[in-house]
Amino acid sequence: MESLLGKTKEELRAVVAQAGLPAFTANQLTQWLYQRCATSFDEMSNISKNGRQKLAESYVIGRQEPLVAHRSVDGTTKYLFPVSCGGQVETVFIPDEDRGTVCVSCQVGCKMGCKFCMTGRQGFHGHLTAADILNQIYSLPERERVTNVVFMGQGEPFDNLDNVLRTTQLLMADYGWAWSPKRITVSTVGLEKGMTRFLEESPCHLAVSLHNPFPEERAEMIPAEKAWSLTEFIALLKRYDWSHQRRLSFEYTVMHGFNDTPAHVRELCRIFGRLECRVNLIRCHEIPESPFHPAPEATMEWIRDELNRHGITCTIRASRGQDIEAACGLLSTKE
């Protein structure tokens, strides 16, 4: 049956009208779904028993608890969630003092085939609905501690953009959690079909998985480069104003001997010229039969310092959850 979670307030009004219930029931239903986080119709005590029965005949709430949890020594927790298209996805909760970040997935597997990513080795098995994505937040045991959401789990967000945008809109809606877009970051390898639409329709932060400033070398690790080159999407990004609320960042996994040379740093400085952005350096996590290996810590610090010296804000991202295969590039739903 169809899920109510993931529907907008206007769509819930239509659901209520079709069920022959009083119009005010839509407001009650919206509150139970998005503010009180109900898991069953029985909890909806201010909706008549007859009304609840009518809704239950055609709909489900859309909430499903995680199947498995793995906890890291650093406090990170990885959860395995069932999804409506079949299979499961992994979701990671990362606590950090007064901040709690949940890294959500948007697809079962991924079409992008990035050579350094375990998810890409799964192939593609289905898109997640907005209900599937929201469930990773609403059914998270640490839900009350979540302050930020990043779309950096399994799948390419721009390849499932309708459901990703619907999810972010519901999180920001005044009848939802009324979140600021500053709390939400959407990541992409750079897909032409989604980039312009996202930039025009969403106020959320954007993170681009770059990993190499030279198109030919980037294509070796990210096949999507062949369809739409980094030179094209960076030219597009430079046409937008990044000096206000929305933030642009680039993810750069540092791989020894592949993208950590002085030539790479010089090219990064060149392509980021006159672009208000920040760069997050990520430690390379080795996966089986991969040609990519982590760079020494001293190399990562040198790259960070060089970029900062050239006026490009650059930080080294802390690696979290590596012992439970929850770190960048390691999500694979082996279960």
Side-chain angles (χ1 to χ4, degrees), residues 2-296:
E2 196 174 350
S3 295
L4 291 178
L5 188 68
K7 290 186 178 297
T8 65
K9 193 171 188 176
E10 292 71 24
E11 290 168 338
L12 291 174
R13 288 193 182 110
V15 166
V16 166
Q18 189 173 21
L21 301 177
F24 63 78
T25 308
N27 288 333
Q28 296 170 323
L29 186 56
T30 301
Q31 289 177 343
W32 282 110
L33 287 171
Y34 294 118
Q35 294 175 9
R36 301 187 184 183
C37 303
T39 58
S40 72
F41 290 108
D42 291 338
E43 295 176 45
M44 302 180 182
S45 55
N46 60 351
I47 298 178
S48 69
K49 185 176 181 180
N50 178 58
R52 283 178 271 158
Q53 288 175 340
K54 284 186 176 181
L55 291 170
E57 287 171 3
S58 301
Y59 299 95
V60 294
I61 299 295
R63 293 278 302 277
Q64 296 188 81
E65 296 299 312
L67 303 172
V68 180
H70 297 288
R71 290 179 173 80
S72 168
V73 294
D74 64 22
T76 299
T77 306
K78 181 175 71 172
Y79 294 100
L80 185 70
F81 280 99
V83 292
S84 58
C85 64
Q88 302 88 31
V89 294
E90 290 182 333
T91 305
V92 181
F93 176 71
I94 308 166
D96 187 11
E97 297 180 355
D98 60 348
R99 181 186 177 99
T101 300
V102 57
C103 177
V104 298
S105 296
C106 64
Q107 294 178 318
V108 180
C110 185
K111 299 177 186 177
M112 299 301 105
C114 299
K115 305 302 182 185
F116 55 91
C117 179
M118 285 295 290
T119 304
R121 295 191 176 190
Q122 292 180 239
F124 174 72
H125 301 286
H127 294 298
L128 271 59
T129 64
D132 291 324
I133 302 172
L134 284 168
N135 184 60
Q136 297 171 64
I137 305 167
Y138 276 61
S139 294
L140 193 78
E142 299 91 348
R143 182 184 69 229
E144 299 298 328
R145 298 169 59 192
V146 173
T147 61
N148 298 80
V149 172
V150 295
F151 286 77
M152 296 181 181
Q154 294 172 274
E156 163 55 51
F158 282 10
D159 193 39
N160 187 18
L161 191 55
D162 284 342
N163 288 310
V164 168
L165 289 178
R166 175 178 284 259
T167 301
T168 61
Q169 289 162 359
L170 287 166
L171 288 171
M172 293 185 291
D174 57 2
Y175 58 83
W177 284 5
W179 268 16
S180 162
K182 292 181 179 181
R183 293 185 173 207
I184 304 170
T185 301
V186 178
S187 176
T188 180
V189 296
L191 298 188
E192 183 175 15
K193 68 177 184 179
M195 185 75 82
T196 300
R197 184 181 169 198
F198 177 83
L199 293 172
E200 294 295 333
E201 295 183 22
S202 176
C204 297
H205 295 325
L206 175 65
V208 179
S209 296
L210 187 70
H211 309 302
N212 201 301
F214 295 113
E216 300 81 6
E217 294 181 7
R218 186 172 187 263
E220 292 179 24
M221 57 195 299
I222 302 176
E225 169 69 26
K226 300 171 185 176
W228 197 40
S229 176
L230 66 89
T231 56
E232 295 174 294
F233 68 70
I234 287 178
L236 172 64
L237 293 172
K238 287 185 176 181
R239 295 204 291 269
Y240 286 79
D241 182 4
W242 298 96
S243 61
H244 298 297
Q245 187 177 48
R246 186 165 55 182
R247 184 178 68 228
L248 172 64
S249 61
F250 290 90
E251 312 297 295
Y252 197 86
T253 301
V254 186
M255 306 170 191
H256 183 54
F258 186 76
N259 65 356
D260 61 348
T261 70
H264 291 93
V265 174
R266 286 194 297 271
E267 185 64 7
L268 287 173
C269 292
R270 188 190 71 79
I271 66 175
F272 292 150
R274 300 185 304 281
L275 181 60
E276 186 73 25
C277 67
R278 64 179 62 189
V279 178
N280 296 316
L281 301 182
I282 301 171
R283 291 172 177 82
C284 175
H285 301 111
E286 296 196 61
I287 61 177
E289 301 175 6
S290 169
F292 306 117
H293 306 284

